[in-house]
Amino acid sequence: ISNKKGVVSGTEVFKLPEYKVPSPEQLNQIWFAFNFVGNYINNKNLKQGGRPEKFTSWVEAVMVAYPLNPYMPLFAAIGRVLIDDRKYAQKHLEKTKMIIEKSEYWNDRFSQFGLNDFVTDFPEEVHAVYGRLAGLRKQYSNWIV
């Protein structure tokens, strides 16, 4: 998925007019945003009472197929904090940092979705993770249930 002129990306896709028929390029951006918000930010297993070990196992299995996608190891790190595995969380965080340092594209994506604070000031305690994720979800409260 790449950014093209005239194609809305990031959280701006949620503001597209309902009557507008999106181009194939725009559909890619819509899919990206909905997938990211639904499967990561709003994942029920990253909420209190969820099963963070299930989420973490899933994302660690999937990220093998997407080695250059930094939000997968970031959210694996978040899941690892929730299951009290800070050592492995740190490894995932380092992988995230390495990828975004080398990619302007992923730097832009992290800015668009409000993830930079998770990288620069990673929450290392369970209560901090839940608080930060709740704050992030609040930004999307108009679009997610």
Side-chain angles (χ1 to χ4, degrees):
I1 299 173
S2 61
N3 292 329
K4 293 186 178 183
K5 190 173 182 174
V7 176
V8 176
S9 64
T11 57
E12 294 300 309
V13 302
F14 296 109
K15 299 174 185 174
L16 287 169
E18 293 178 20
Y19 61 85
K20 186 174 181 179
V21 177
S23 67
E25 293 87 4
Q26 188 63 69
L27 281 173
N28 284 337
Q29 296 299 323
I30 293 168
W31 175 88
F32 184 97
F34 275 84
N35 174 60
F36 179 65
V37 172
N39 289 326
Y40 293 87
I41 292 173
N42 200 41
N43 192 291
K44 68 181 182 178
N45 290 311
L46 295 179
K47 295 178 180 178
Q48 290 187 9
R51 295 183 52 207
E53 70 283 352
K54 183 176 181 179
F55 171 83
T56 304
S57 293
W58 170 76
V59 77
E60 287 175 348
V62 172
M63 71 185 207
V64 171
Y66 302 94
L68 300 178
N69 182 324
Y71 70 72
M72 290 179 168
L74 175 64
F75 277 82
I78 289 167
R80 286 288 171 178
V81 170
L82 293 176
I83 58 176
D84 200 29
D85 184 354
R86 286 162 182 76
K87 182 178 179 182
Y88 207 34
Q90 193 61 39
K91 288 181 182 182
H92 284 311
L93 181 61
E94 291 306 317
K95 181 174 182 178
T96 299
K97 289 178 179 179
M98 183 180 70
I99 295 168
I100 61 175
E101 284 174 4
K102 295 179 181 180
S103 173
E104 185 177 335
Y105 171 82
W106 284 113
N107 268 302
D108 290 345
R109 286 295 192 179
F110 270 53
S111 292
Q112 288 175 332
F113 288 96
L115 297 176
N116 290 334
D117 289 344
F118 277 87
V119 177
T120 58
D121 184 23
F122 186 74
E124 296 186 20
E125 301 295 328
V126 171
H127 70 281
V129 167
Y130 285 136
R132 296 280 289 285
L133 285 174
L136 191 56
R137 286 184 197 109
K138 189 174 182 177
Q139 295 176 29
Y140 299 95
S141 62
N142 291 335
W143 305 294
I144 60 177
V145 179

